[in-house]
Amino acid sequence: MKDIAFPALLVFLIIGISFGCISGEHSSPTSTVKNIQTSETMQTANLSYTYYKDWLHNSTKYFEIYYPEEIYENPTLQSKLNMLLLGADSTYESYSKLFGIKPQRAKIYLYPSKDSLKSITGKNTLWFVDYRNREIHIALIEESGMYSSFEIVSALLEFAAGRKLPDVIAVGFGVLNFRISMSPQEKAAKYVSIEQLKSLDLRKEYNETLYAEAGDLLRYIADIHGTQALIKTLKGGNIPTVNEKDFLEFLEVEDHETSNIEKTIITLNISIEQKKFEGAITYNNVTSQPYIYFRRTPRINIKGIKVNGKSVDFIQSFTIVIPMKNFKKGSIEIKYSGDYSKIEKIAPKRGYIEGQIKKNTAFLRGAFLRPMLNSVELFNVIEVRAKTDRGIVIAPGELISSNVWRISFPNGFTGVIPVFAGEFKKMELMNGYLTVYYMGLDDKTAEGYANLTAEILEFGVEHFGKPGYGKVKVVYPKEISISSLMLDTLAYSHNPLRYKYGYTYEVAHWWVPGTVTFDRNMSQFWFNLAFPWYYSLKYAQNISQESYRELRNYGISKYHRATKYGEKDVPLTEVWKVWRTDINLYYAVGAYKGALVLEKLEEYTGREAFFQSLREFFEKYRLREGNLNDFVAILEKNSGKPVKELFQNLTANTGLP
């Protein structure tokens, strides 16, 4: 179908977090990724192996980095290369401070696989450090669905330490903030004892489960014994005595059950002219210990951290910043900066970048605004205060004063915050409920896009009730490739008239997961994908039966291809398990099959009863976590038919309904 292009919200979130990186304050790549060294230049580098003579080359403050073209051409490996180029210097400076040594220049050799490292160096390992020649050799891991950089972190940590560290420490530190969720059944089947974990040779073979457990072990040490104990563990190489039973109980605790933030204030200054930004963020009334663990991207340089008003020392790396001080309750303030003048030369050719500053537009989100926070983020109120040196700023929430937006969620919310800056025009529709911002479009084209948005939105309001937001916004940014819903803001850079039903899918996200989200009970996560595609089917049906049949057949054919005609199928209740390993299967089952399941229920209960039940359900769970068991109960009440058994069968079995 020519008018179908399914913009994948979650694909954007996953890939966007990983591709492209901003260095720390002192990191300054001096050549582009595609800079090829001549053989004469390579000879002056005193390389140990002649195999490197045709490799590409980049320089940073501390490192000369060499890699074959195969790495540059592979999007996953290239993302890791970019992380290294832009984050290695600030990371290495932090590790050097930790181990009390003066930073030294070194060479880093990157390999596209473990076998390629072994064939050149003879070393059967994922990484090793030649301390005498100051060389670091790293086999990049392609299998990681999150594009994390644990193999790079582990190698840099050992180089800074000046000695080989125990595997569980080196690996664990690299994945400390990349926990891999497993079901209780998987944990029971795959978990190894702490003593076994400490004795395994984790350098020989990448094992996602064991790597995650190594990271969990270090996280446990910091939680139970304090961050100073973790620092002591890293320096001394000795793991404290850990009770297996307590460790297992620790793994069962979900952060969202204990964590809370009363208010978050984000202050941001964006310079489109200089391609730089500075920010500060304050978390008020943080009530739980887990919030000493923070995510960070290498694009951001952390300037300082205050805990309860007092400055603390911290470790800054690719993945984590750990205040070296116990924290129980109070406030956290972080100051940070970022520089996009460096990223443009070495940004990846494929995939999304989470934030960008182009000639006329700035777009920042996620880690740029809240650079350090746990993967589960619950808050009651967020205020965004943002200024730019060019044009206007667009942020989610209600504009309460000049350059200040307030986002309120009475029961907490897990979400993504975007900020756009630039010389946007705007138009209002639906009596001011919908505002459309646009750049790089003529007024007539923008009006066509806006009218289509209003038509799709009005269809949903009529049948499923008004979304949970006071107002909604659509941004058509120039030069930035993006297709995603972020709170009450939809950003879309494609042609909505051409990709109409993919666009409809994004608008439908204002209901799910915008108004009602499914993030905690993973067996119900599929509804985040299924309802928007169901919405698209109903909208197409409202236009014509031909459009509906064409769209429905498109989804079914995508499902058949992704599942290899049932060979790879999974039940809806388990679709969340495959989102990192097979994104096509994830959407084929979650969205396409999930929508057909909803249609099956609609057919069984009657359309009016089904639509009415959705309206009641969205209203009851407005801006909070939903429960599909309650939806089934509402559906039974409105239809007068037993639904529970049919619903369980449809969601627990494989195959199309």
Side-chain angles (χ1 to χ4, degrees), residues 370-401:
R370 296 176 292 167
M372 304 189 311
L373 203 59
N374 249 359
S375 56
V376 178
E377 306 165 44
L378 298 180
F379 46 84
N380 290 332
V381 178
I382 282 187
E383 284 189 6
V384 178
R385 303 173 180 180
K387 294 182 179 180
T388 179
D389 62 359
R390 186 185 300 173
I392 64 170
V393 172
I394 305 163
E398 177 189 3
L399 185 64
I400 59 174
S401 62

Side-chain angles (χ1 to χ4, degrees), residues 10-54:
L10 212 55
V11 171
F12 172 81
L13 297 182
I14 297 166
I15 299 180
I17 288 172
S18 312
F19 274 130
C21 311
I22 277 286
S23 67
E25 183 179 17
H26 301 295
S27 180
S28 54
T30 57
S31 60
T32 66
V33 166
K34 193 64 174 175
N35 177 22
I36 302 178
Q37 288 284 78
T38 65
S39 58
E40 181 181 355
T41 309
M42 294 294 289
Q43 287 170 5
T44 64
N46 290 321
L47 297 180
S48 303
Y49 307 101
T50 58
Y51 298 92
Y52 303 135
K53 67 180 181 179
D54 295 324

Side-chain angles (χ1 to χ4, degrees), residues 257-438:
E257 294 176 355
T258 58
S259 302
N260 184 62
I261 298 174
E262 187 175 273
K263 188 176 182 180
T264 302
I265 298 175
I266 299 168
T267 305
L268 186 69
N269 291 315
I270 305 171
S271 173
I272 297 177
E273 189 69 33
Q274 297 180 352
K275 293 186 172 62
K276 294 182 179 180
F277 60 90
E278 291 187 347
I281 180 167
T282 304
Y283 303 107
N284 291 324
N285 194 28
V286 184
T287 59
S288 68
Q289 182 76 11
Y291 278 92
I292 63 172
Y293 297 101
F294 301 111
R295 283 192 184 278
R296 171 185 176 263
T297 69
R299 309 173 184 91
I300 296 173
N301 184 47
I302 305 300
K303 298 288 190 179
I305 305 174
K306 287 186 178 180
V307 177
N308 293 331
K310 295 182 179 180
S311 295
V312 297
D313 293 327
F314 55 89
I315 302 176
Q316 179 165 297
S317 82
F318 287 119
T319 56
I320 55 176
V321 179
I322 306 177
M324 298 182 188
K325 189 173 183 179
N326 289 335
F327 172 72
K328 297 294 182 184
K329 181 179 179 180
S331 64
I332 301 171
E333 181 184 355
I334 305 153
K335 291 186 177 180
Y336 58 90
S337 65
D339 184 349
Y340 267 92
S341 63
K342 300 168 185 174
I343 192 174
E344 290 188 344
K345 292 182 179 179
I346 54 181
K349 295 186 297 182
R350 306 174 183 87
Y352 291 101
I353 301 175
E354 186 181 359
Q356 300 175 56
I357 300 179
K358 294 288 189 179
K359 184 177 180 181
N360 299 305
T361 317
F363 166 57
L364 301 174
R365 55 161 277 191
F368 290 99
L369 307 182
R370 296 176 292 167
M372 304 189 311
L373 203 59
N374 249 359
S375 56
V376 178
E377 306 165 44
L378 298 180
F379 46 84
N380 290 332
V381 178
I382 282 187
E383 284 189 6
V384 178
R385 303 173 180 180
K387 294 182 179 180
T388 179
D389 62 359
R390 186 185 300 173
I392 64 170
V393 172
I394 305 163
E398 177 189 3
L399 185 64
I400 59 174
S401 62
S402 178
N403 296 313
V404 179
W405 294 261
R406 177 175 293 153
I407 312 164
S408 300
F409 299 100
N411 295 291
F413 189 80
T414 300
V416 179
I417 300 172
V419 170
F420 287 91
E423 296 173 348
F424 289 92
K425 294 182 179 181
K426 74 173 185 177
M427 62 180 74
E428 293 186 347
L429 299 90
M430 299 177 67
N431 296 319
Y433 181 66
L434 168 66
T435 304
V436 174
Y437 297 87
Y438 61 98

Side-chain angles (χ1 to χ4, degrees), residues 194-195 198 217-218 221 225 229-230 233 238-243:
I194 291 171
E195 290 306 313
K198 287 160 66 174
L217 181 56
L218 295 196
I221 291 168
H225 299 285
L230 179 58
T233 298
N238 298 314
I239 303 252
T241 301
V242 175
N243 182 284

Side-chain angles (χ1 to χ4, degrees), residues 456-490:
I456 296 169
L457 185 58
E458 287 170 343
F459 169 82
V461 170
E462 177 186 353
H463 294 294
F464 308 117
K466 199 172 183 179
Y469 305 107
K471 293 183 178 182
V472 293
K473 308 160 190 171
V474 174
V475 181
Y476 300 116
K478 184 180 181 182
E479 300 173 332
I480 294 176
S481 179
I482 180 173
S483 178
S484 183
L485 173 84
M486 294 159 287
L487 302 175
D488 62 2
T489 304
L490 169 61

Side-chain angles (χ1 to χ4, degrees), residues 550-598:
E550 195 175 358
L551 187 65
R552 196 173 188 273
N553 289 337
Y554 168 84
I556 291 173
S557 92
K558 292 280 283 186
Y559 164 81
H560 283 317
R561 288 199 299 272
T563 62
K564 291 187 177 179
Y565 292 86
E567 225 177 277
K568 294 169 56 180
D569 201 4
V570 294
L572 285 172
T573 54
E574 297 180 15
V575 73
W576 61 274
K577 295 180 181 179
V578 303
W579 73 271
R580 288 184 42 178
T581 57
D582 193 335
I583 198 71
N584 291 323
L585 179 63
Y586 172 75
Y587 274 105
V589 175
Y592 305 138
K593 183 169 79 173
L596 297 185
V597 164
L598 296 183

Side-chain angles (χ1 to χ4, degrees), residues 51 111 114-123:
Y51 298 92
Y111 303 82
K114 182 188 165 190
D115 288 341
S116 64
L117 185 153
K118 185 178 179 181
S119 69
I120 294 177
T121 67
K123 300 285 188 179

